[in-house]
Amino acid sequence: MTLAATEEQDGSAYRVVVNDEEQYALWPADRADPPGWRREGTTGTRARCLRRIEEVWTDMRPASLRRLMDGRATAQ
């Protein structure tokens, strides 16, 4: 059995959470959101949530660093 098949058959529900730095994480759906994180809107299997994170989190830099670097590039 592949890892993807195992994740689909896990039976647990997960959600995607995001923080103010626009960093994403997988979180068990039956637990309260971790402090400093909010729900992104995607829930389901582990594999589904991980696919969503892969789709939306394309720049791993924290939002504050992206803003700083964008400001420097604009100022030059």
Side-chain angles (χ1 to χ4, degrees), residues 6-73:
T6 302
E7 289 177 346
E8 287 294 346
Q9 294 176 1
D10 176 346
S12 299
Y14 295 90
R15 74 171 54 104
V16 176
V17 293
V18 60
N19 65 18
D20 290 340
E21 287 287 347
E22 298 174 5
Q23 297 167 311
Y24 290 79
L26 179 69
W27 196 252
D30 63 348
R31 295 182 60 192
D33 296 339
W37 296 76
R38 64 187 181 284
R39 296 175 188 189
E40 177 269 349
T42 303
T43 59
T45 64
R46 177 182 175 87
R48 178 174 186 250
C49 290
L50 289 173
R51 281 191 305 270
R52 177 62 180 159
I53 291 170
E54 188 175 309
E55 289 172 6
V56 297
W57 196 14
T58 58
D59 189 338
M60 302 304 262
R61 297 174 299 164
S64 58
L65 178 59
R66 291 193 314 265
R67 286 189 297 271
L68 177 68
M69 293 179 80
D70 288 347
R72 286 186 180 169

